[in-house]
Amino acid sequence: MGRAAAIGLTRERVVEAAIALIDDEGLVGFSVRALARRLNVYPAALYWHAGGAKTDLLAEISGALIASLMTPEDLSDDWRETIRILFRRFRARVHEHPHAAPLLGPHIRSNGAPNAPWVEIILKALTEAGFEGQALIDAFNSVVGALEGYITLELAADGATEGSEWVEGFDAGLDALDAARFPLVKRHLPQMYNRSFVMRWKSGDVAPLDDGYNFLIETLILGLEVQAKRGRSREVEPATPATHG
């Protein structure tokens, strides 16, 4: 700890160095020992600043990536535009650190407080849309699921090398698909190849799926509008008079 104090080690510096290490080496090359070597301290010093386990450190990294995406000053008068801004900033931020994308799913759940700023913003937007009670929570989960799920999938591909044996095998498997059994796959494959989930080998950091993401945002907003309207309609429906036989 003496060495850590001497170099001014802080939680923020630990997390910043951890993100830089993941940027350089990927999650495969990330370890507490490797991070300690980069900062020239003992591993115990890192745990002192970022929790008592590696999972705590990964949660801190996940939180740091997205915790400050928006502030109350960024809120639009239109809740729809607030959702659009959040989605665009979230994706832009994660695309700056594509190797860290896999952390979002498993670790975002364990850093609740750091995420409070953007959670508050989502809840405010959805409240303005007309959601309340359990419907508000359901809508919130839908927004967060769409927000994290798309980007995690987009950046999940390994990014194989053009002309490599693996890519040649990937292409051969697609070419060998039976058109009689998979007519739609074969018909749309030219448009889907490396421009859609599943039917690709390029990662989203080199072949981003922009159009699909914008389609997701607008589809989600339209769906939220319908669900909010449906909820309001149920609230004003007159009670069915009881019948007496």
Side-chain angles (χ1 to χ4, degrees), residues 222-240:
L222 287 171
L224 290 170
E225 289 177 333
V226 171
Q227 292 284 16
K229 183 178 180 180
R230 183 176 298 170
R232 290 191 295 269
S233 297
R234 282 196 294 264
E235 290 175 2
V236 300
E237 284 179 359
T240 303

Side-chain angles (χ1 to χ4, degrees), residues 72-90:
E73 290 72 28
D74 298 320
L75 284 168
S76 170
D77 293 334
D78 185 341
W79 67 268
R80 302 165 189 81
E81 190 59 27
T82 295
I83 295 295
R84 291 186 183 102
I85 293 171
L86 177 66
F87 267 70
R88 290 166 184 158
R89 289 190 183 183
F90 188 96

Side-chain angles (χ1 to χ4, degrees), residues 41-73:
V41 298
Y42 290 111
L46 304 182
Y47 290 132
W48 178 267
H49 289 283
K54 182 179 179 180
T55 53
D56 296 322
L57 178 55
L58 294 176
E60 290 286 348
I61 296 169
S62 174
L65 285 173
I66 59 178
S68 59
L69 287 175
M70 293 183 71
T71 67
E73 290 72 28

Side-chain angles (χ1 to χ4, degrees), residues 4-235:
I7 64 173
L9 194 66
T10 62
R11 184 190 69 82
E12 289 74 18
R13 186 173 179 189
V14 169
V15 172
E16 181 181 337
I19 293 174
L21 177 59
I22 293 172
D23 287 345
D24 294 340
E25 306 293 338
L27 286 174
V28 174
F30 175 82
S31 70
V32 174
R33 289 187 177 277
L35 179 58
R37 286 195 298 270
R38 177 169 287 218
L39 289 168
N40 196 23
V41 298
Y42 290 111
L46 304 182
Y47 290 132
W48 178 267
H49 289 283
K54 182 179 179 180
T55 53
D56 296 322
L57 178 55
L58 294 176
E60 290 286 348
I61 296 169
S62 174
L65 285 173
I66 59 178
S68 59
L69 287 175
M70 293 183 71
T71 67
E73 290 72 28
D74 298 320
L75 284 168
S76 170
D77 293 334
D78 185 341
W79 67 268
R80 302 165 189 81
E81 190 59 27
T82 295
I83 295 295
R84 291 186 183 102
I85 293 171
L86 177 66
F87 267 70
R88 290 166 184 158
R89 289 190 183 183
F90 188 96
R91 182 167 178 262
R93 175 65 169 160
V94 180
H95 268 259
E96 292 173 1
H97 307 281
H99 290 156
L103 293 177
L104 296 177
H107 293 286
I108 197 170
R109 72 182 189 279
S110 59
N111 51 60
N115 291 288
W118 63 268
V119 170
E120 179 74 15
I121 285 172
I122 294 176
L123 291 174
K124 189 173 190 304
L126 294 175
T127 299
E128 291 175 353
F131 291 100
E132 59 182 23
Q134 184 58 46
L136 174 63
I137 310 307
D138 293 340
F140 172 81
N141 287 339
S142 297
V143 169
V144 175
L147 189 67
E148 294 179 31
Y150 189 101
I151 300 166
T152 302
L153 284 171
E154 182 186 19
L155 297 173
D158 292 332
T161 305
E162 184 90 45
S164 67
E165 183 178 347
W166 190 93
V167 171
E168 290 179 356
F170 179 88
D171 290 345
L174 293 177
D175 290 340
L177 288 175
D178 183 359
R181 185 179 178 188
F182 307 107
L184 294 177
V185 173
K186 294 291 283 188
R187 182 191 308 170
H188 298 291
L189 187 57
Q191 291 76 38
M192 298 180 70
Y193 186 76
N194 274 328
R195 291 190 294 272
S196 68
F197 295 137
V198 183
M199 298 298 176
R200 63 176 184 145
W201 53 265
K202 290 184 179 180
S203 176
D205 58 335
V206 295
L209 306 177
D210 298 334
D211 292 342
Y213 193 66
N214 292 329
F215 191 94
L216 170 69
I217 295 172
E218 298 308 316
T219 301
L220 177 65
I221 289 174
L222 287 171
L224 290 170
E225 289 177 333
V226 171
Q227 292 284 16
K229 183 178 180 180
R230 183 176 298 170
R232 290 191 295 269
S233 297
R234 282 196 294 264
E235 290 175 2

